[in-house]
Amino acid sequence: MEAKASRPRPEPVAMAGDAPQLAVRVIRGRDLTLVDGRPCDPCVCVAVEKQRYTTQVRTGAAAAPEWNESFLFSVPAGTKDLVLTVSDWSGGKRERV
């Protein structure tokens, strides 16, 4: 009988005083290319309200980058959106992928 690998469980929500926190892990990307078809050097911006974190740029990672980076956000009451934006880092500026 073959054992199946289990999926990783989401990280629990931590509490800092009265403010709940959200742990976000950016694992990997798939099939990332720009409109003109050239490979990209991607990074991911993760935002909750006015808090923003950006992963490292994966130069030469092309279509299948791996980050495996974690970020911790304070989540104010009424927060509804977690925004992930994948960008191509080229020559010191970012372009959305």
Side-chain angles (χ1 to χ4, degrees), residues 7-85:
R7 291 185 115 175
R9 292 180 169 240
E11 294 185 24
V13 173
M15 297 292 281
D18 291 335
Q21 294 186 326
L22 173 67
V24 176
R25 180 176 292 149
V26 178
I27 300 172
R28 74 178 64 88
R30 293 184 187 162
D31 302 325
L32 301 180
T33 54
L34 287 176
V35 176
D36 62 6
R38 64 184 174 85
C40 64
D41 297 326
C43 62
V44 179
C45 178
V46 184
V48 173
E49 296 290 322
K50 294 180 180 181
Q51 303 166 76
R52 295 182 187 281
Y53 294 102
T54 303
T55 64
Q56 294 182 1
V57 175
R58 291 296 178 218
T59 306
E66 291 196 19
W67 290 279
N68 208 19
E69 295 181 39
S70 297
F71 306 102
L72 190 62
F73 293 91
S74 294
V75 184
T79 298
K80 296 181 182 178
D81 296 324
L82 166 69
V83 179
L84 302 168
T85 305

